[in-house]
Amino acid sequence: MAHALRYYKDLEQPDGTIIRLEIHCKKDGDAILVSKEIGRVVQALHLDIQGGADTIDAPIVKTSLTMTFVDAPDLDANKKCGNWEEFYTPDSTMWKVILKANGNTIWGGYITPDSYCEDLRYRGSVTIIARDNVGHMQDFPFDAEGDENGMISLREL
């Protein structure tokens, strides 16, 4: 299934760099999704990078993007301001997140099912975490032996 742009927000940095947050949704066939601007100011975007040359898994760098949004009513049909619970889904590839700087993609990942956190105060905030799926593979145990070279087929895995 392909993903289509659903929500976006352009944020200008003090140095003039335009950071664009894009949230894409999985779509069925030829379904047309209308994209909306995220209407309320994003309270925080934090890109966390873990990994380094001093560890055995140095080539595997684990990254995650934490997004905090203001939760407010959707008063404008063309803007996304609230109802963030649609991101609370068991499908780990339903929502794809892309971060761009001046039009160039600098990061990509998926919103994970366990990452939704909502502040229940009136006009509180919603925090959602997107993760790169490659780096986070090391967080899951694999119950497999492999052959004499330590290799295993995808079918066996």
Side-chain angles (χ1 to χ4, degrees):
M1 280 194 178
H3 286 80
L5 180 63
R6 186 74 176 113
Y7 304 113
Y8 64 92
K9 184 68 177 175
D10 292 323
L11 304 163
E12 186 172 355
Q13 301 300 299
D15 67 356
T17 303
I18 302 295
I19 300 294
R20 182 178 177 98
L21 171 68
E22 293 183 353
I23 302 175
H24 297 247
C25 183
K26 211 184 266 186
K27 67 176 194 154
D28 292 327
D30 295 330
I32 297 174
L33 296 176
V34 177
S35 58
K36 294 182 179 183
E37 181 179 4
I38 296 172
R40 298 291 294 179
V41 175
V42 176
Q43 288 183 336
L45 284 180
H46 176 75
L47 185 60
D48 183 39
I49 301 172
Q50 299 173 6
D54 59 343
T55 62
I56 196 165
D57 60 349
I60 299 174
V61 176
K62 185 187 332 183
T63 61
S64 59
L65 178 68
T66 302
M67 303 167 283
T68 303
F69 302 105
V70 174
D71 194 16
D74 281 338
L75 299 177
D76 184 345
N78 298 319
K79 294 192 177 194
K80 175 73 172 169
C81 298
N83 300 320
W84 300 103
E85 62 273 358
E86 71 181 300
F87 295 116
Y88 187 67
T89 174
D91 186 345
S92 61
T93 59
M94 174 69 121
W95 297 100
K96 183 177 183 178
V97 177
I98 297 173
L99 202 58
K100 296 181 177 183
N102 289 332
N104 298 316
T105 300
I106 58 172
W107 187 85
Y110 293 90
I111 294 175
T112 54
D114 62 341
S115 71
Y116 183 89
C117 180
E118 183 176 3
D119 178 359
L120 297 177
R121 292 177 292 170
Y122 177 71
R123 292 200 180 176
S125 63
V126 172
T127 300
I128 301 167
I129 299 172
R131 295 181 173 99
D132 70 331
N133 288 341
V134 174
H136 287 275
M137 284 177 57
Q138 67 186 357
D139 295 338
F140 301 102
F142 292 98
D143 186 17
E145 292 287 325
D147 62 14
E148 65 275 356
N149 297 321
M151 303 300 284
I152 188 167
S153 72
L154 287 176
R155 181 180 299 264
E156 293 171 315
L157 185 61

